[in-house]
Amino acid sequence: MMTTLVSDIEVQEGTLGKLVMARLKPNQDLTESVEALCEQHGMQAAIVRGAIGSLIDARLEYATPDGWREMEINGPGVEILNVFGEVGFSSANHLQGVVADVDGKIYAGRFVRGGNLSFITIEITLQEWIPKPVQELVSA
């Protein structure tokens, strides 16, 4: 049996901090708003616990053997079924999720920055991630 190790995995220890529950108003981009909420509440990194609401249209990207592809889900009124991901863990903040179009067809992928504007509202919950300082990990 052959074992393959993935070398690009990072394990981080830390604790959870403050919880932020917010309502995004119409025409606010999902990704940009999450980043702004983190900055507004002094969070260097956060985990998206969940979100519900609707988008005018949705733009998602997904991986293929030939690279990333983008799809547009036309609304208005694309329903958000789930949002998850992290902000501030790396230079690229990627929120993933599942949405449904006006006919109930389901789509999943990464939300494209600037392409997912709130239709009516989006209710979102973020939780701060506070990494353990490196010196504590070394001395432990």
Side-chain angles (χ1 to χ4, degrees):
M1 181 187 332
M2 185 175 174
T3 303
T4 305
L5 297 177
V6 179
S7 63
D8 61 346
I9 294 177
E10 179 183 332
V11 177
Q12 190 179 75
E13 289 186 45
T15 59
L16 296 172
K18 62 186 102 168
L19 189 69
V20 174
M21 297 185 317
R23 175 176 290 142
L24 307 185
K25 295 182 179 175
N27 296 312
Q28 292 183 304
D29 179 67
L30 177 62
T31 302
E32 293 169 356
S33 295
V34 167
E35 292 168 351
L37 283 166
C38 288
E39 186 175 328
Q40 178 184 350
H41 293 281
M43 297 187 296
Q44 298 296 314
I47 300 162
V48 177
R49 290 290 186 194
I52 192 163
S54 58
L55 302 166
I56 296 172
D57 297 304
R59 280 184 39 217
L60 301 175
E61 59 183 4
Y62 58 97
T64 71
D66 299 322
W68 288 92
R69 290 225 167 136
E70 203 172 288
M71 66 180 144
E72 186 164 334
I73 299 91
N74 295 313
V78 175
E79 292 297 318
I80 295 172
L81 304 177
N82 193 7
V83 176
F84 50 93
E86 302 86 25
V87 177
F89 284 75
S90 67
S91 60
N93 297 320
H94 296 295
L95 299 182
Q96 291 84 214
V98 180
V99 299
D101 69 10
V102 294
D103 296 320
K105 190 172 177 185
I106 307 293
Y107 301 86
R110 291 194 319 199
F111 290 99
V112 175
R113 179 186 196 77
N116 295 284
L117 302 180
S118 174
F119 182 43
I120 304 298
T121 62
I122 297 173
E123 311 291 330
I124 192 156
T125 305
L126 308 172
Q127 188 150 29
E128 181 179 29
W129 174 253
I130 305 165
K132 196 178 272 191
V134 175
Q135 70 187 79
E136 284 185 34
L137 292 173
V138 172
S139 63

